[in-house]
Every structure is written in structure tokens, then in C-alpha cells.
């Protein structure tokens, strides 16, 4: 293999708009030849958008991409490959019931109609021998551990002779040990000038240990860059989350009686594939208090909320509500008035093909006046209640018989708010309530949550948006790797400290 | 609000369109078989709905279809595709006959009630197995309910050739006869047995259950979105089991009627494909129990016409099954058309 140095890649002044939303504004990134470059930022900071602009998924609205200082136009990921740029995605793209050899062969851009497996195997064996790490070619992908699969993903890009490798959170599915091994190999290849690496990550530890240079994005804008050796961890964390608190706390009444409403003790939860992702959460929430759970997504927040909502069984620990052991049965939910505003309400808490009136009644369809005698549905009463809520919460279009799936996202969220908040609520579990909503809907929904708190509701707010938490919460806890690792009041919040705990760098 | 009109009109137009397409395809088939399609359709109409005798013939066949269609339609409300109606009929008929034979000296009313309860319980358990496997073990309910049909048939064949065999049923192994006095009898003034009434009443009750009770509303939430049902605290597993039991009971009742009104014994005539035809009825009726009634009558008519088709046009007996199959395929295909013709109002601004 002849080895000229990998090309120099630069994104200059890249801007990308989606409708009215500016996802990237005048962003710079310079990946020098043979460097290990980290791209840091919170959820929604624009990291993925920037990388997708480089890979040719998106056409940027402004700015240019340069390879070896020459402007280039990359039209598609396949086009990117002709420039020697390859990408490893967050989720595996391997075919599990095929061998490593088969996976590597089918990823080729051009395949002969008849595959000469002998020849392919010889070539790949030769290629594998030159690599700093190996995976047995005959192994079935489904039998490999996550770290090995990630290696195959990387080998796949290298076998395609890509010289610039972009990795989108490559370690999120790996154990720390596997992550160190994979990143160590990549580091060695960059030191040997065989490869340039651009890695998207939240984990400051990995940046400090492996990267040469770092670029930080915040809210779609360039927030800083530099050599890792010349920067302090705290500086990077500060660039990520900003240095000043811009969110103004909502007006609140000081009414917390310090009566505990919701007690979580040592909650443990597995994800869909049986990996423990919530690992002993302890938390108490009092009357008239909003507790915000901050954290980078994927640290167990979703599963924790699902347990409280009754969508997933906990594998350990106890939930106490009003000093009683709590199971999310319909009786308990209604007796304790513990309700939920989950993210993506249409998928999580509505039946899309049922009408707005029916969806509004999910909490009380089995009670008078909606159910006569507790069993016979009274449809006219259901529609009357719906009319009232539609008017009070300004749901559009104002027709109770419209299927709820034909409403806009903001109106679906309003309908769910109307359902969960219109009656008395003791405990409210909220997860990313404003995700994907515009400014006005966001404001309105946040005001409703604070209003509920001022009426004495105990609120658990899980959000990936740190500003939202600082705006709404009385207390902030940080969730990392399935545990609550840091707690502070929002008035005394130190952003740099929160940022460090969110990225797992607590010392 | 234009879409409410569409909501009612769309399924109607698509189903009428599919039936028309099926008729064209079947017409081409009979033409290829050497018959005149227009005359064939005329004969079919005469055989199914032309005279009061043909009406009775049609309705007798429609009665079990109404009950077996519920086997598929009711679990459909919970998002399950269960095709185990055949098994429910067989188990219902078998255990109804066995129940009757265990109390030979009871009065006919007691015998018939016991038979109905035993048949419904057997059918209920049979479909509930599929529902339980789905909910608790994530086994595909379509496959398991299909395989349970074969197990039911094998169990029937085993029992009527061994433990419960009437030694006089030489070439056609059957249970003993339940006794003429215990037969279910006819609706006064007609040649129709009471099974038709059971079918119509079961469809109406099912419709009322699913559309006008708290239980039905809960089932619709669970069938529409399990996650929403969980947040509402609804017992999804219990809903699935109960609905499967109700559906299976309908199938079991159909089996009991076959024994108590027609054959007088349990034997392999129970396995007469009413269960499979019921799937077709439920699909065409889009799982709506009220729509099942006319669709079952239509399909009953098609099946009733097979004899006359054979005699008049010399078409083989199975010709009507070809038509049934064509309708099934076209209806399945038409499922992909929903939402393509109606224009939902554009998503409103926030």
C-alpha cells in the first residue's frame, strides 16, 4: 500500500437552514492531515448537521468544503467516498447474520455479478494483516461483541481506502475498556500518518486521552477550537455549555412545604437488549418543586421515565408515592394523580387514529360523566368535555372528531397538556416536553408546567436542553451513565461544573 | 369538515371497488374455463338469492361465518391478527358433543345450555392460548393460531377414532349422536335453525361491546398504541386475554351449532373451512362486527351457489373457492390503498 498522507479537510463558514430554523451558522472546522480531531457539543449543537454537510447528505446553504485547500462539492455519501472520506455511524450498519468477510465484500461500491470469494478472501486477508487490529474474517457478525463490531465498521471504511474517517459517537455502544482499545488503535493510525480522524463525542475524557485538536459547537455556532494539550478540561466544558446563564427563571411562588411526594430508591432498569442502563437512582421530589434531570441523551433518562410512566418494568428498587409503595396500575395512577408528559406525545401517549375527543379522555373515560355506571360510554358527554378543553387550551383545529394524528406537533402537545394538567395533579413526570416545537408553543408549555408547580405539583423534568432545566427547575441533578452524579440548586448552578458532570469528568 | 365524509366513504368505495375487480378477475377465470361469465353470475345470483329456498340455503351458510368472522375481527381491535377460527369451531363442536354425551338423561334445555357453555369455553381457551403466547412470550399470534387449528383438527380426529367413537360410524368416525330430542330446532315458520339468530345477536353484542363500553374503549386504546395504554395504566395483557376469549367463544358457539343443529355428532365435518372463510369475512368487513352480517350473507351466497354452478355450467365444485380466494387477494391488496384517495386537511399551524 502506497501511503501518501491523508488529505487536509476544512469546512469554512458553513451555514445550514431547515425552514425557519438555522441549524448551523458560519461554522469552521479544520481537520489537518493525520490528526485526531474531536467535535464537541451538547445535543442539538449542530455536530451531526455539520458532519452530514461534509458527507454530502445535506447541501450547505452557505460556506464551502475544502480538500487540500481546493473547494469541492460533495453530492452524496458515495461521492464522499471517492474523495476518500468515510463515516462510521452511531448505530451499527453491519448485517448480523453474515460473516465479517461477507460484510466487507458487500460494502464495496462495485461488485462483480459473480463474486470470486476465494480472491476476495485472499485480498482481505492481506489487507487485514496490514491493519493494527484484526477481526476473524469467518466470524458471524452476530457472534461478535460490540467492540469487535465497531472494529469491523472501521475496517470496512479502511478497506474502501478511505483516508479520512468520521465517527459519530463511536463509543456510545461500547464499554469503557472497548472504547479505549478502539480509540487507541485509531490514535496509533493517525500517529503513523495513515489516517485523519474526526470524532463526534460528548465524553471529555476521551477527548483528553486521544485527541490532538478539538472544535466545540454551541447552539449551531462555532464556540472555539484549539490543541487539546493547550486546553484545560474545564475550558472545553465551558465552551460546550456557555459561560453565562442566559435562561431567565420563570416567576415562581415559594411554597415548597418540603413534603416528599415522590421517592425513588435504588431504581435499576434494563434497556431493550437487557443491558442495565439505570444503575441505582435515588431521588426525592417534594410538593411544589421542579427537579430537573440534566444529562446527555442515552444515559438512562429515557428508561427511567418509562419506568415512572408504567411503560417498562424496573429490575430493582422501589418507588414510593405519598409514602406508599407504588405500582403504575390505573387505580394507583388515578388515586395518586401521578401523570406524565412524555417526549414525542403522538407516539408515546396518544392513539393517532382516534379522535381528539377520545384522546383527551384517556385519563377519565371510565368515570362519570363519561362512563355511565362505570361501564357504558357516554359519547355526547365525552364530546362536551372535549369542547371545553379545546377552548381552554386553544387546540387547533377546534374539532373534537378530528383524528389526533392530523394535528400539528404543538397542538398534539397542547392536547396532552389539557388531558394531564386540567384536573388536579400531585406528581408530574415530564420528558423533553418542548422537543421539536416552535418558540410560542415552547413558552406556553413551560408556563403551564411552572403553573402546575405553583399549585403544589411535584414535577420531575427530564430534558436534554440545559437551558430549559435552568429556566424551570428549582433543583438540578445530573444523570450520567445511569446514575445521578451531581446535584445543585438552579440559583447556585455552576455551568462548568454541570457540563463536566454531564460529560463524565467529575474530577 | 371534509374528512369525516371521507372517513365513512373511503372504506365503502374501496371495498365496492375491490369486489368489482374480483368479479372481473373471476369472470376471466370462468371464461377461460369455457363458461359465459355473465350467465355464471346470473346463475350464482339465482342460487344464492333468487328464491326463498336459495335465501335459506345462503343464510344457513352465513350463520357460522358471522360467528367465525368475530374470531378474527375482535382481536383485530387489539392489533392482533388471529386466524384460529377453524380451531375454535372444531374445539367448540367437539367439546359440545362430549358435554352432551356425559349427561344423557338431562332435559333437552339443560343439555343444550351445557353444550353451548362447553363449546364456548373450549373455543375461548383455544384462541386465548394464541393471545397469551403473544402477550407473555412474544410469539407471533398469526402463526400460533394457525398451527393451533391443526392441533385442534388432530385432536378431534384422535378422539372420534378412539375414546368417543360410536362403533356404528363405520366409514366416517364420529362420536355418538347427541339424541334427536336434544337437537336445536328451527326458527318457527322457516327452515332455518337458531344458529342464524345466534350469529346476528353475537355480532350486534360485539359491536356494542367494542364501541359503547368502557371495556371496548380500553381495547381500542391498547390496540391503537400499547405505549399510550401503558401510560393510561390499562391492563393490556388482561384486555388481550378477555377479547381473545370472547372471540373464541363465538367460534366455539359456531361449532356447537354445527353439532346441535345439523350433524348431531362431532366428526370431521366440523372442519368445513368456516373458520378460514370467516377470516375473509372479517377482512372485508374491516373488523366491524355490524358490517360482518351483510358480508357473511354475501359470502354465504357465493358458497351456496356452488352446487348449481356445477349442475348448470359443469364447473367444478371448487370454483367458488377460486372466487373466494380471488376476493381475499384483492381485498388484501386494497389495504394498501387506504389514505391515498382521501385528502386530510393540511396540518394546522401551531
Amino acid at each position: 500500500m502506497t501511503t501518501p498522507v491523508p488529505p487536509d479537510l476544512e469546512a469554512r463558514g458553513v451555514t445550514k437552514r431547515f425552514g425557519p430554523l438555522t441549524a448551523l451558522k458560519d461554522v469552521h472546522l479544520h481537520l489537518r492531515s493525520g490528526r485526531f480531531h474531536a467535535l464537541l457539543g451538547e445535543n442539538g449543537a449542530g455536530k451531526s448537521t455539520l458532519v452530514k454537510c461534509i458527507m454530502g447528505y445535506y447541501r450547505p446553504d452557505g460556506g464551502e468544503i475544502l480538500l487540500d485547500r481546493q473547494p469541492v462539492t460533495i453530492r452524496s455519501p458515495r461521492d464522499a467516498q471517492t474523495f476518500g472520506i468515510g463515516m462510521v455511524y452511531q448505530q451499527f450498519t453491519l448485517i448480523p447474520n453474515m460473516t465479517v468477510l461477507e460484510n466487507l465484500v458487500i460494502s464495496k461500491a462495485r461488485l462483480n455479478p459473480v463474486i470470486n470469494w476465494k480472491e476476495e478472501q485472499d485480498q482481505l486477508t492481506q489487507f487485514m494483516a496490514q491493519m493494527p487490529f484484526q477481526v476473524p474474517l469467518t466470524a458471524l457478525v452476530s457472534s461478535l461483541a460490540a467492540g469487535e463490531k465497531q472494529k469491523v465498521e472501521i475496517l470496512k471504511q479502511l478497506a474502501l481506502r478511505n483516508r479520512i474517517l468520521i465517527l459519530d459517537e463511536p463509543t456510545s455502544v461500547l464499554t469503557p475498556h472497548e472504547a479505549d482499545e478502539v480509540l487507541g488503535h485509531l490514535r496509533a493510525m493517525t500517529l503513523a500518518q495513515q489516517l485523519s480522524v474526526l470524532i463526534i463525542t460528548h465524553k471529555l475524557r476521551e477527548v483528553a486521552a486521544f485527541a490532538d485538536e478539538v472544535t466545540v459547537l454551541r447552539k449551531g455556532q462555532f464556540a472555539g477550537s484549539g490543541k487539546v494539550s493547550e486546553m484545560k478540561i474545564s475550558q472545553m466544558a465551558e465552551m460546550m455549555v456557555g459561560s453565562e446563564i442566559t435562561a431567565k427563571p420563570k416567576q415562581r411562588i415559594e411554597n415548597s412545604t418540603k413534603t416528599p411526594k415522590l421517592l425513588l430508591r435504588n431504581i435499576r432498569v434494563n434497556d431493550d437488549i437487557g443491558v442495565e442502563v439505570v444503575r441505582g437512582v435515588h431521588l426525592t421530589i417534594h410538593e411544589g418543586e421542579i427537579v430537573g434531570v440534566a444529562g446527555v441523551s442515552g444515559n438512562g433518562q429515557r428508561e427511567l421515565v418509562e419506568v415512572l410512566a408504567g411503560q417498562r418494568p424496573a429490575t430493582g428498587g422501589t418507588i414510593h408515592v405519598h409514602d406508599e409503595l407504588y405500582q403504575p396500575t390505573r387505580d394507583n395512577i388515578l388515586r395518586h394523580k401521578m401523570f406524565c408528559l412524555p417526549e414525542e406525545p403522538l407516539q408515546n401517549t396518544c392513539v393517532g387514529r382516534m379522535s381528539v375527543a377520545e384522546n383527551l379522555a384517556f385519563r377519565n373515560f371510565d368515570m362519570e360523566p363519561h362512563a355511565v355506571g362505570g361501564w357504558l360510554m357516554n359519547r355526547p358527554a365525552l364530546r362536551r368535555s372535549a369542547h371545553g378543553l379545546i377552548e381552554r387550551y386553544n387546540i387547533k383545529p377546534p374539532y373534537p372528531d378530528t383524528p389526533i394524528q392530523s394535528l400539528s406537533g404543538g397542538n398534539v402537545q397542547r392536547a396532552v397538556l389539557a388531558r394531564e394538567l386540567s384536573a388536579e395533579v400531585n406528581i408530574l413526570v415530564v420528558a423533553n416536553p418542548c422537543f421539536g416545537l416552535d418558540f410560542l408553543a415552547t413558552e406556553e408549555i413551560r408556563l403551564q408546567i411552572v403553573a402546575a408547580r405553583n399549585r403544589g405539583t411535584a414535577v420531575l423534568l427530564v430534558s436534554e436542553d440545559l437551558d430549559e432545566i435552568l429556566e424551570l427547575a428549582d433543583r438540578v441533578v445530573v444523570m450520567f451513565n445511569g446514575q445521578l452524579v451531581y446535584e445543585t440548586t438552579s440559583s447556585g448552578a455552576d455551568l462548568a461544573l454541570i457540563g463536566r458532570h454531564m460529560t463524565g469528568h467529575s474530577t | 369538515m371534509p374528512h369525516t365524509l371521507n372517513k365513512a366513504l373511503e372504506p365503502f368505495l374501496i371495498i365496492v371497488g375491490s369486489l368489482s375487480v374480483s368479479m372481473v378477475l373471476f369472470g376471466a377465470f370462468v371464461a377461460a374455463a369455457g363458461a359465459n361469465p355473465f350467465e355464471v353470475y346470473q346463475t350464482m345470483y339465482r342460487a344464492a338469492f333468487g328464491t326463498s329456498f336459495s335465501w335459506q340455503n345462503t343464510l344457513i351458510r352465513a350463520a357460522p361465518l358471522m360467528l367465525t368472522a368475530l374470531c378474527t375481527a375482535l382481536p383485530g381491535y387489539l392489533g392482533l391478527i388471529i386466524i384460529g377460527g377453524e380451531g375454535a369451531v372444531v374445539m367448540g363442536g367437539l367439546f359440545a358433543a362430549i358435554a352432551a354425551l356425559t349427561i344423557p338423561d338431562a332435559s333437552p334445555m339443560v343439555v343444550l345450555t351445557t353444550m353451548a357453555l362447553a363449546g364456548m369455553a373450549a373455543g375461548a381457551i383455544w384462541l386465548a392460548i394464541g393471545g397469551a403466547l403473544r402477550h407473555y412470550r412474544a410469539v407471533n399470534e398469526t402463526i400460533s393460531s394457525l398451527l393451533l387449528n391443526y392441533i385442534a383438527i388432530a385432536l378431534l380426529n384422535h378422539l372420534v377414532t378412539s375414546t368417543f367413537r360410536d362403533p356404528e360410524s363405520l366409514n366416517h368416525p364420529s362420536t355418538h349422536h347427541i339424541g334427536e330430542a336434544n337437537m336445536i330446532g328451527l326458527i318457527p315458520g322457516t327452515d332455518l335453525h337458531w344458529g342464524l339468530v345466534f350469529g346476528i345477536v353475537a355480532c350486534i353484542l360485539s359491536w356494542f361491546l367494542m364501541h359503547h363500553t368502557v371495556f371496548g374503549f380500553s381495547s381500542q386504546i391498547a390496540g391503537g398504541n400499547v405505549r399510550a395504554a401503558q401510560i393510561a395504566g390499562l391492563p393490556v395483557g388482561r384486555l388481550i386475554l378477555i377479547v381473545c376469549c370472547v372471540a373464541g367463544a363465538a367460534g366455539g358457539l359456531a361449532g356447537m351449532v354445527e353439532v346441535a343443529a345439523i350433524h348431531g355428532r362431532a366428526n370431521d365435518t366440523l372442519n368445513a373451512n368456516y373458520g378460514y372463510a370467516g377470516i375473509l369475512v372479517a377482512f372485508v368487513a374491516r373488523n366491524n362486527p355490524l358490517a360482518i352480517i351483510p358480508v357473511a350473507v354475501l359470502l354465504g351466497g357465493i358458497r351456496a351457489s356452488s352446487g348449481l354452478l356445477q349442475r348448470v355450467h359443469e364447473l367444478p365444485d371448487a370454483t367458488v373457492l377460486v372466487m373466494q380466494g380471488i376476493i381475499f387477494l384483492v381485498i388484501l391488496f386494497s389495504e394498501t390503498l387506504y389514505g391515498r384517495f382521501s385528502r386530510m386537511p393540511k396540518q394546522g399551524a401551531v
Side-chain angles (χ1 to χ4, degrees):
Chain A
M1 214 157 85
T2 52
T3 49
V5 293
D8 177 286
L9 172 74
E10 196 175 350
R12 213 181 265 172
V14 172
T15 298
K16 177 70 196 168
R17 282 182 285 269
F18 296 104
L21 181 85
T22 304
L24 281 180
K25 195 175 166 196
D26 197 22
V27 168
H28 300 271
L29 174 83
H30 190 181
L31 173 59
R32 281 174 246 272
S33 173
R35 297 293 169 86
F36 195 119
H37 197 114
L39 181 57
L40 266 175
E42 281 193 286
N43 297 107
K47 305 181 301 285
S48 295
T49 311
L50 175 59
V51 166
K52 283 179 176 167
C53 287
I54 294 174
M55 287 299 293
Y57 272 105
Y58 297 146
R59 194 69 67 80
D61 296 311
E64 52 187 358
I65 311 288
L66 298 94
L67 267 183
D68 281 334
R69 313 207 177 276
Q70 297 299 315
V72 290
T73 310
I74 300 172
R75 287 182 190 83
S76 69
R78 177 156 285 195
D79 209 19
Q81 204 208 301
T82 61
F83 290 107
I85 308 174
M87 181 153 171
V88 173
Y89 299 88
Q90 209 171 350
Q91 306 294 330
F92 294 125
T93 58
L94 301 170
I95 300 166
N97 55 357
M98 285 191 173
T99 63
V100 173
L101 174 69
E102 287 166 331
N103 268 287
L104 292 179
V105 171
I106 55 164
S107 64
K108 284 189 175 180
R110 250 174 233 289
L111 269 182
N112 295 328
V114 177
I115 299 172
N116 183 344
W117 287 103
K118 179 91 182 64
E119 191 186 308
E120 299 285 355
Q121 180 158 17
D122 289 346
Q123 275 179 16
L124 282 167
T125 311
Q126 228 175 9
F127 158 79
M128 198 71 97
Q130 295 166 354
M131 290 293 118
F133 53 97
Q134 279 82 29
V135 179
L137 280 174
T138 51
L140 209 57
V141 165
S142 57
S143 71
L144 297 177
E148 300 287 297
K149 284 184 196 160
Q150 195 64 275
K151 284 188 202 165
V152 179
E153 293 280 7
I154 292 168
L155 288 170
K156 193 164 97 181
Q157 296 304 326
L158 298 178
L160 295 170
R161 303 194 186 285
N162 288 326
R163 308 303 303 278
I164 296 177
L165 202 53
I166 302 176
L167 300 103
D168 188 357
E169 296 187 39
T171 58
S172 60
V173 289
L174 306 184
T175 64
H177 179 75
E178 287 174 327
D180 284 355
E181 196 201 336
V182 169
L183 294 178
H185 287 309
L186 288 174
R187 171 88 185 133
M189 291 185 77
T190 57
L191 285 177
Q193 295 292 303
Q194 291 171 326
L195 198 64
S196 301
V197 171
L198 177 65
I199 177 175
I200 295 181
T201 183
H202 302 294
K203 297 177 183 161
L204 289 173
R205 187 188 70 81
E206 292 172 356
V207 178
F210 297 100
D212 302 308
E213 289 170 12
V214 61
T215 295
V216 185
L217 299 186
R218 185 171 69 240
K219 294 181 199 293
Q221 299 194 34
F222 178 81
S225 69
K227 285 206 166 68
V228 172
S229 56
E230 293 166 4
M231 290 167 84
K232 278 196 239 144
I233 292 284
S234 58
Q235 251 176 307
M236 290 185 227
E238 195 179 299
M239 278 186 196
M240 249 175 92
V241 294
S243 55
E244 54 197 297
I245 297 176
T246 49
K248 261 188 263 150
K250 289 267 181 285
Q251 194 154 27
R252 54 189 73 232
I253 307 164
E254 286 318 318
N255 62 352
S256 179
T257 55
K258 288 287 163 202
T259 315
K261 287 267 186 181
L262 177 67
L263 258 97
L264 309 182
R265 284 292 164 268
N266 199 24
I267 301 286
R268 292 176 175 275
V269 191
N270 289 351
D271 69 4
D272 292 333
I273 54 171
V275 176
E276 187 168 78
V277 288
V278 177
R279 309 190 301 164
V281 162
H282 298 267
L283 188 63
T284 306
I285 303 174
H286 304 95
E287 187 175 354
E289 172 186 56
I290 300 179
V291 175
V293 177
V296 173
S297 70
N299 277 294
Q301 301 98 314
R302 173 191 287 266
E303 286 80 6
L304 179 65
V305 169
E306 285 176 342
V307 165
L308 296 174
Q311 293 175 323
R312 184 184 287 276
T315 52
T318 53
I319 305 170
H320 282 86
V321 173
H322 299 134
D323 294 330
E324 266 180 53
L325 197 60
Y326 176 82
Q327 288 285 334
T329 62
R330 190 164 177 86
D331 281 349
N332 280 341
I333 290 171
L334 297 178
R335 192 158 52 89
H336 292 299
K337 302 193 187 339
M338 173 161 160
F339 295 154
C340 237
L341 289 179
E343 58 196 352
E344 299 185 272
L346 188 59
Q347 284 77 30
N348 256 317
T349 181
C350 294
V351 177
R353 63 164 185 258
M354 289 172 88
S355 71
V356 172
E358 289 171 325
N359 273 283
L360 282 171
F362 282 6
R363 288 291 179 211
N364 54 18
F365 68 88
D366 47 359
M367 291 185 265
E368 302 277 357
H370 300 143
V372 182
W375 66 277
L376 182 65
M377 296 296 291
N378 181 349
R379 295 268 167 183
L382 210 72
R383 296 184 81 243
R384 268 198 301 281
S385 305
H387 269 300
L389 289 175
I390 285 171
E391 202 166 316
R392 231 172 96 194
Y393 285 81
N394 196 20
I395 299 165
K396 285 175 195 151
Y399 309 125
D401 296 327
T402 318
I404 199 162
Q405 63 196 4
S406 63
L407 266 56
S408 68
N411 280 302
V412 173
Q413 190 62 289
R414 275 195 201 115
V416 174
L417 269 170
R419 177 173 83 202
E420 307 289 313
L421 292 182
S422 56
E424 195 193 334
V425 194
N426 287 324
I427 299 162
L428 187 65
V429 178
V430 192
N432 296 314
C434 303
F435 186 77
L437 301 187
D438 68 11
F439 180 75
L440 273 179
T442 300
E443 267 312 289
E444 200 182 311
I445 282 160
R446 288 179 181 170
L447 279 173
Q448 294 276 2
I449 293 171
V450 173
R453 169 220 178 262
N454 290 342
R455 289 195 301 269
T457 306
V459 181
L460 177 69
L461 168 69
V462 176
S463 179
E464 288 166 21
D465 181 350
L466 194 50
D467 283 349
E468 178 169 71
I469 288 181
L470 293 172
E471 186 179 330
L472 300 182
D474 300 282
R475 257 193 311 144
V476 181
V477 292
V478 176
M479 191 158 182
F480 178 77
N481 208 2
Q483 288 172 325
L484 302 182
V485 292
Y486 178 67
E487 176 174 340
T488 176
T489 59
S490 55
S491 47
D494 176 347
L495 272 179
L497 217 52
I498 292 178
R500 264 156 59 185
H501 282 93
M502 280 169 64
T503 47
H505 219 282
S506 45
T507 46
Chain B
M1 288 185 6
H3 65 270
T4 42
L5 179 70
N6 284 341
K7 208 173 139 190
L9 205 58
E10 189 188 36
F12 182 75
L13 287 179
I14 288 183
I15 284 169
V16 169
S18 318
L19 291 177
S20 312
V21 170
S22 311
M23 284 180 74
V24 171
L25 290 175
F26 181 67
F29 170 76
V30 292
N36 179 338
F38 298 101
E39 288 173 11
V40 166
Y41 280 127
Q42 223 169 1
T43 309
M44 286 180 79
Y45 178 78
R46 203 147 45 87
F49 309 110
T51 64
S52 70
F53 172 76
S54 54
W55 262 105
Q56 283 180 359
N57 202 356
T58 294
L59 290 178
I60 283 178
R61 288 159 207 266
L65 290 179
M66 292 174 195
L67 291 167
T68 56
L70 290 175
C71 290
T72 299
L74 291 177
Y77 278 87
L78 281 158
L80 305 183
I81 301 176
I82 284 198
I83 57 173
E86 190 80 8
V89 172
V90 166
M91 294 302 283
L94 174 64
F95 281 90
I98 292 174
L101 296 172
T102 54
I103 44 169
D105 302 323
S107 71
M109 204 56 215
V110 173
V111 172
L112 282 175
T113 311
T114 312
M115 283 178 76
L117 290 177
M120 286 162 72
I125 290 170
W126 213 243
L127 281 203
I129 295 174
L133 284 171
R134 160 89 251 177
H135 183 72
Y136 297 106
R137 307 301 315 157
V139 177
N140 182 307
E141 78 281 0
T142 314
I143 305 284
S144 69
S145 62
L146 174 68
L147 296 180
L148 281 165
N149 289 342
Y150 296 112
I151 298 176
I153 293 164
L155 191 65
L156 169 80
N157 288 336
H158 170 69
L159 289 180
V160 299
T161 52
S162 60
T163 324
F164 294 101
R165 178 170 190 172
D166 176 1
E168 285 168 30
S169 60
L170 298 172
N171 298 326
H172 196 184
S174 309
T175 62
H176 286 273
H177 198 281
I178 59 169
E180 285 303 331
N182 294 328
M183 295 294 281
I184 206 168
L186 301 176
I187 303 171
T190 68
D191 278 336
L192 292 168
H193 61 71
W194 285 96
L196 181 65
V197 176
F198 291 167
I200 292 173
V201 170
C203 284
I204 293 171
L205 284 180
S206 297
W207 174 80
F208 186 81
L209 175 72
M210 297 320 280
H211 291 265
H212 287 279
T213 67
V214 162
F215 177 83
F217 195 84
S218 308
S219 302
Q220 291 197 35
I221 296 175
N225 183 353
V226 173
R227 292 179 68 82
Q230 286 166 332
I231 277 199
L234 296 171
V236 178
R238 201 194 310 161
L239 289 171
I240 287 179
L241 285 186
I242 295 176
V243 168
C244 286
C245 280
V246 173
L253 186 63
M256 175 268 180
V257 170
E258 287 295 294
V259 171
I262 299 170
H263 307 299
R265 346 169 154 251
N267 56 33
D268 65 2
T269 50
L270 276 174
N271 158 26
N273 280 331
Y274 280 121
Y276 292 114
I279 304 166
L280 173 56
V281 174
F283 268 76
V284 177
R286 290 187 64 71
N287 291 344
N288 184 328
L290 283 189
I292 283 176
I293 299 174
V295 175
V297 170
L298 184 68
L299 200 70
I302 293 175
R303 290 166 77 98
S305 64
S306 79
L308 202 60
L309 275 187
Q310 196 175 7
R311 285 196 300 278
V312 177
H313 299 281
E314 294 180 341
L315 289 165
D317 199 23
T319 308
V320 293
L321 294 180
V322 173
M323 181 170 200
Q324 198 176 304
I326 289 175
I327 296 177
F328 206 164
L329 279 179
V330 175
I331 289 284
L332 280 177
F333 164 74
S334 76
E335 289 284 314
T336 63
L337 299 178
Y338 284 91
R340 294 207 183 185
F341 301 122
S342 67
R343 298 182 69 87
M344 286 295 198
K346 261 291 177 220
Q347 299 212 339
V350 179

